[in-house]
Amino acid sequence: MFWGALLLLFSSNVVAERHDADLMSFVTLPEVRALKWEITYYDRERMAPGYWFVAPYGQISPEHPTQKYQQYQVGPYIYDDNGVLIWAGSPLYDNHNTFDFKPVHNIDDNPHLSFIVGWEFDNSKKGHGAIVNNKYEVEKEVQVVNELHDFNMHEFNIMDGGKTALACTYRSQVVNMADFGRPTEESWVTTGGFVELDVETSEVLVEWDSYDKIALHESNMFNAWDSPAGEPGWDYVHINAVDKNEAGDYLISLRFTNTIYLISGQDGNIVWRLGGLESNFDQDFTFSKQHDVKFVSSNGTHHVISVLNNASDERGNDENVSAALIIELDTAVVPMTARVIRRINRPDGGLTRLRGSVRVLPNENIFVGWSERGYSSEHASNGDLLMTARFASERYSTYRSFKGEFTGRPSAPPDLVASVYGTDEEDTTTLLYVSWNGATDVVKWNFYAQAYDRGEPVFIGSVNKTDFETMFIADGYMDWVSAQAIDADGNVMHTSVTVRTEIPTNWKSAGWDGNASGPSPDDPSIIAAANKNLGSSSGSSSDNDSDSNAISGDESADLINDGTSTGSSGSSSHSNSQYADAKEVAKAVYTAYDIIRGVGSLLIFILVACTLGGAGYAIWHAIRARRSRSYQHVPSEEGLPTEEIHLTSAPRE
Ligand SMILES: *[C@@H]1O[C@H](CO)[C@@H](O)[C@H](O)[C@H]1NC(C)=O
Ligand SMILES: *[C@@H]1O[C@H](CO)[C@@H](O)[C@H](O)[C@H]1NC(C)=O
Ligand SMILES: *[C@@H]1O[C@H](CO)[C@@H](O)[C@H](O)[C@H]1NC(C)=O
Ligand SMILES: *[C@@H]1O[C@H](CO)[C@@H](O)[C@H](O)[C@H]1NC(C)=O
Ligand SMILES: *[C@@H]1O[C@H](CO)[C@@H](O)[C@H](O)[C@H]1NC(C)=O
């Protein structure tokens, strides 16, 4: 009946909420709706290690807040390459759009994350560049310190050592139109430039602007006969990327001149142009409307750069397919040469109309973000397609997508939620859900229950982690529960706070056929011991037993569908007299704990423990006597196998 009601609830939910079935939802993080992925693997063996870093947004400009509560969907997100959520970062900046979200390994020995937080919808804040450590604490917020409208969304590029960062700038200025043959006229233009900022103080250390460096005629956006514009003016260059090499020169991409420029770090002059109307290179390829231009290597005379050639924009396309290009530049020869050493066409043959990114990974694989709908692909160094992925939802894009290794160790503890249901005293079940937002490398969850708030945590089972959220079904009514994240070496990484199990608002409507106050909680040590015994007598290990109860993450929705069978098979295997006996003892002990809590007297505790311990031992002994194989653990004085009583050793902060 309980399952029937839940099933009904679930299916009506599906009908009503079909449009958001492309979002994940979690019991432990109810405020988060992370995007689901559609993934196709072509050769998983050759994929690079690492996680995906994306920052989905619905619309690029900040949305007006409404009175309506909105769940977290946009902002920085980390996934593994199964599409399993690792970190939902949207709560950190309250659902603000973020851009250029990526792992950063050049600050110190610890991995960091960096991203741009978008400006405020009412321009009350200009946005900023954020650096977050791997405990998910904000370490630096790099501000716009001058008159610029915002921290431009295109680039937040942290230089080696983490002392400085590069950002793009857009500035409205008045220019004389002499370059268009109209020296008596002026127009507003939006010039493009970059700054190198001090990460600590946000001070501008280096500033470059196209104003006196790039003539109007280099732009493919405006014509000599166009009428002069008012503020903010012609967006005539549209800078969208900046990088710096060891020699201290800057590589910039101007989308509306179809040109990549090397800017001297000495004097700010243009060293060379690649592409566009005034290319200095002998080149055997074309590109246009390029994005995310970065150095792969650079030694003074030879540069290897990566470029996303989206070859298309809202005004039309110059080529039929967008591509990632790895280009080798030789500036020691005359004329200088530019050669494509790797061209990776967009796997679906499409055109990237919106932004994008390309990076060469440490193992020389190439990861490309085609932007719209989060479409991304990974390729071997020879270009072979290994994987494509995109958001299940059409409503979101990400400006750039990255892949990289990362170790996340959140300072916040894991989130645990538990609830109990049941039809009578002998048939209660506790559902536990746990997740740890941002943690990498958790392989297993151990679950513990306590008879009362200061009781000893008793191990009640463990489940391998396969999804963001892990579910565990415990027999009985476990009132005080906690969970431990376990790494591959079996170490405890962190422990959740001990939470109390939620009870149905109305026991009757949850199928309970006892009296209205519902069941009383069980003593976990007795239930755990009984399960252990039943487990070994039926020939299966207790690990297998608990694992068979485990359902992870998204599959918890399926559980509700299949719940009838899962639930009843779980309980029927234990609906025998031994189990009922154990439950009786559990109740008695729990009642005793209740008394202790009320009276708080050590003497009474000892008296009660001795009395009940004796009764428990007697029943325990009876159970053992009836079993064919004897229990290998030595019962303690209370009749509980000591090995099963695990004290949590990790500090609980
Ligand atoms: C730069 O790299 C190229 C190609 O690897 C090499 O031929 C050249 O000698 C290098 N130049 C310097 C200054 O190291
Ligand atoms: C695009 O494809 C069409 C048809 O396949 C072809 O005629 C055209 O030349 C192509 N354009 C470019 C720029 O490659
Ligand atoms: C849990 O993970 C361990 C180690 O990877 C593995 O040996 C075991 O089979 C897994 N258990 C289940 C039920 O998948
Ligand atoms: C309900 O059951 C509990 C425990 O069995 C008992 O203590 C309590 O008095 C009962 N309440 C009613 C209203 O019957
Ligand atoms: C686990 O339980 C399942 C189902 O009862 C059984 O088929 C399987 O052999 C068991 N595995 C182990 C390792 O005991």
Side-chain angles (χ1 to χ4, degrees), residues 317-321:
N317 44 300
D318 309 320
E319 299 176 43
N320 283 335
V321 59

Side-chain angles (χ1 to χ4, degrees), residues 44-53 79-81 103 105 361-365 367 378 386 402-406:
R44 288 204 77 162
E45 294 292 303
R46 293 159 73 196
M47 280 166 58
Y51 300 97
W52 299 338
F53 299 79
Y79 293 85
D80 73 11
D81 58 22
H105 294 283
L361 304 179
N363 76 345
E364 303 203 335
N365 279 6
F367 194 79
E378 183 171 343
L386 308 180
F402 296 99
K403 184 172 187 180
E405 297 197 68
F406 188 71

Side-chain angles (χ1 to χ4, degrees), residues 425 512 514-520:
E425 289 279 355
W512 178 251
N515 75 20
S517 62
S520 48

Side-chain angles (χ1 to χ4, degrees), residues 1-63:
M1 176 170 172
F2 170 78
W3 290 114
L6 213 64
L7 195 65
L8 206 68
L9 200 80
F10 179 67
S11 46
S12 66
N13 228 18
V14 166
V15 174
E17 310 269 305
R18 180 174 294 139
H19 61 277
D20 75 353
D22 46 21
L23 302 174
M24 300 176 182
S25 54
F26 305 104
V27 174
T28 48
L29 288 186
E31 72 279 21
V32 167
R33 301 299 307 275
L35 275 63
K36 290 182 187 171
W37 288 88
E38 291 170 357
I39 308 169
T40 309
Y41 301 102
Y42 298 90
D43 190 349
R44 288 204 77 162
E45 294 292 303
R46 293 159 73 196
M47 280 166 58
Y51 300 97
W52 299 338
F53 299 79
V54 292
Y57 60 84
Q59 61 177 59
I60 205 104
S61 49
E63 290 174 67

